Amino acid sequence: MIADPVAVLVVLAVVVWLAVQLEERYKLFRSLGSALVGILAAMVLSNAGVIPGESSTYEFLMGPGVSVGIALILFSVDVRTVFSAGPKMLIAFAIGATATAVGATVGALAWAPSVGEETWKLAGQFTGTYTGGGMNFAALGQALDTSPDLFTAATAADVIVTAFWMAACLSAPLLLGRGGGAAPAARWAGAKAAAGAAPPTGSPEDEPRSAGAADSAATDTLEKALFGTGRALRLTDVSALVVLAVGSVAVAGWLGGRLPGLPEVLWLTTVSLALAQVPAVKRVAGAAMLGNYLVLLFLASNGARSVVANIFEVGPAVFYYAATTVAIHGAIIFGVGRLVGLDAGTITVASQANVGGAASAMAMASARGYGEKLLPGVAVGLLGYAVGNYTGFAVAQLLRGVLGG
């Protein structure tokens, strides 16, 4: 097994490189997308014993690595492009959060005989984590004093189910209609065309356009920027981006440490978005493309952490419970979402904000080219961090009274 952290990083880098190459060259893989291919390939490698299920490399990519990626992508976001998608994303998120609570409750009643007397605790943890991400899972586990063995099994189950749900959400727009964003093939074509095109000579103000047209153009530019820079990437660009992105992460950490009532990712989003509106930052090339690469590495690491064998060491019932919760969440958010007229893109990004948190919502938006849904996805992901602990604790106490404990 390849265990050295640097060697593991090399393997993940190769996985991402191959996934991107396959997406660019072959129609089948363009349909699947490099994000989904990377997740599945890394999952196969970890379960085959080529790379480990746990590594400091994964911890880095899920911490500073994805934080820098988030900052880089946000540097390319114009806040004027997000207002039209905001209300729809909020509705989809609310449906998903309610669906999670229903799923955790139904799952607890179904699997309590197999999981045991602490089922009500898992109900709270699964409600929290599938409302706003893993931060809530850890916080609720500590607050409810879940036993170490059950906590470990639930963590493994959560990782696997979250990875599978990301794969399912990446595939869903292919079946339901994309509902926004460019198809992978179109994004590659757009990126290549942009790379070969001369930079615009005039400013946006030189040509009058409607607000809707301006937003559409800005969104289209962001989608292309995830796969190309539009011009040669210079050392001055990369060096500036490193300063800006790493500096944003450092400032966010500093602010989070001094004002612990607000999550660090909220500070990172605020700082990055503020910088993104500065004209000098807008002129730096390559931010979205480099951020997208880090997000792809992050997604591959999620796949690698999904070691199925870990579940069976402690009992499959915990996995079945997690899968039941997310399956019910998915059935309700997609079913009700489509009934109320929400597009597939909004539903999938909102669902990832529920199940995986803000980073997963951004990863989904970038991987599928939903440029106008990036910031709304992050916003509802942050909302999930805020409300997940409350809903999780409420569900846990409700089921404690029903199941006993």
Side-chain angles (χ1 to χ4, degrees), residues 248-275:
S248 296
V249 173
V251 170
W254 183 83
L255 290 170
R258 280 152 183 77
L259 298 168
L262 296 176
E264 186 176 321
V265 68
L266 178 59
W267 289 116
L268 177 61
T269 302
T270 303
V271 171
S272 300
L273 285 175
L275 287 172

Side-chain angles (χ1 to χ4, degrees), residues 65-66 68-73 226 286-296 366:
V66 76
V68 171
I70 288 173
L72 286 168
I73 292 177
L226 292 169
M289 182 183 69
L290 295 175
N292 192 30
Y293 177 75
L294 287 175
V295 166
L296 290 174
S366 354

Side-chain angles (χ1 to χ4, degrees), residues 11-385:
V11 172
L12 293 181
V14 170
V15 165
V16 171
W17 176 75
L18 285 174
V20 171
Q21 291 290 319
L22 290 170
E23 179 180 1
E24 182 179 15
R25 294 172 184 271
Y26 300 103
K27 183 177 180 180
L28 171 63
F29 293 101
R30 282 198 297 271
S31 299
L32 294 174
S34 53
L36 177 56
V37 174
I39 288 174
L40 296 177
M43 188 182 297
V44 169
L45 290 176
S46 66
N47 282 278
V50 178
I51 54 178
E54 295 294 335
S55 170
S56 58
T57 300
Y58 309 152
E59 299 302 322
F60 171 78
L61 290 173
M62 296 178 68
V66 76
S67 295
V68 171
I70 288 173
L72 286 168
I73 292 177
L74 287 176
F75 289 157
S76 299
V77 173
D78 188 333
V79 295
R80 294 174 300 176
T81 67
V82 307
F83 297 113
S84 61
K88 292 183 179 180
M89 190 69 69
L90 189 60
I91 292 171
F93 174 84
I95 295 171
T98 303
T100 292
V102 172
T105 301
V106 173
L109 297 174
W111 294 105
S114 301
V115 174
E117 61 183 13
E118 289 188 285
T119 302
W120 65 275
K121 298 180 180 180
L122 282 191
Q125 288 185 263
F126 285 153
T127 299
T129 194
Y130 299 137
T131 296
M135 182 187 298
N136 296 335
F137 183 89
L140 285 163
Q142 183 180 24
L144 299 171
D145 195 26
T146 305
S147 64
D149 287 344
L150 188 61
F151 189 98
T152 300
T155 300
D158 177 37
V159 168
I160 293 174
V161 169
T162 298
F164 274 111
W165 188 242
M166 170 67 82
C169 284
L170 284 165
S171 304
L174 303 176
L175 303 174
L176 302 176
R178 295 192 55 80
R187 289 177 305 174
W188 276 111
K192 288 181 176 180
T201 55
S203 67
E205 292 76 19
D206 293 338
E207 185 177 348
R209 293 184 296 181
S210 67
D215 286 352
S216 176
T219 297
D220 183 58
T221 299
L222 177 56
E223 289 163 359
K224 291 179 180 178
L226 292 169
F227 291 85
T229 63
R231 62 177 173 83
L233 189 60
R234 301 173 300 171
L235 181 60
T236 53
D237 295 318
V238 176
S239 58
L241 290 174
V242 170
V243 172
L244 291 168
V246 177
S248 296
V249 173
V251 170
W254 183 83
L255 290 170
R258 280 152 183 77
L259 298 168
L262 296 176
E264 186 176 321
V265 68
L266 178 59
W267 289 116
L268 177 61
T269 302
T270 303
V271 171
S272 300
L273 285 175
L275 287 172
Q277 311 315 306
V278 177
V281 175
K282 291 181 179 180
R283 290 193 292 269
V284 181
M289 182 183 69
L290 295 175
N292 192 30
Y293 177 75
L294 287 175
V295 166
L296 290 174
L297 280 177
F298 159 72
L299 293 175
S301 71
N302 267 356
R305 293 177 70 228
S306 303
V307 181
V308 179
N310 287 351
I311 288 295
F312 295 98
E313 292 180 5
V314 210
V318 175
F319 170 76
Y320 297 149
Y321 182 12
T324 298
T325 303
V326 172
I328 292 174
H329 160 90
I332 294 176
I333 191 172
F334 277 97
V336 176
R338 296 296 274 184
L339 283 175
V340 300
L342 297 176
D343 59 271
T346 296
I347 295 171
T348 53
V349 173
S351 180
Q352 281 303 309
N354 286 136
V355 174
S360 290
M362 177 170 287
M364 173 61 63
S366 354
R368 280 303 181 198
Y370 302 133
E372 81 284 6
K373 304 183 195 305
L374 275 168
L375 190 54
V378 172
V380 294
L382 295 174
L383 180 61
Y385 286 139

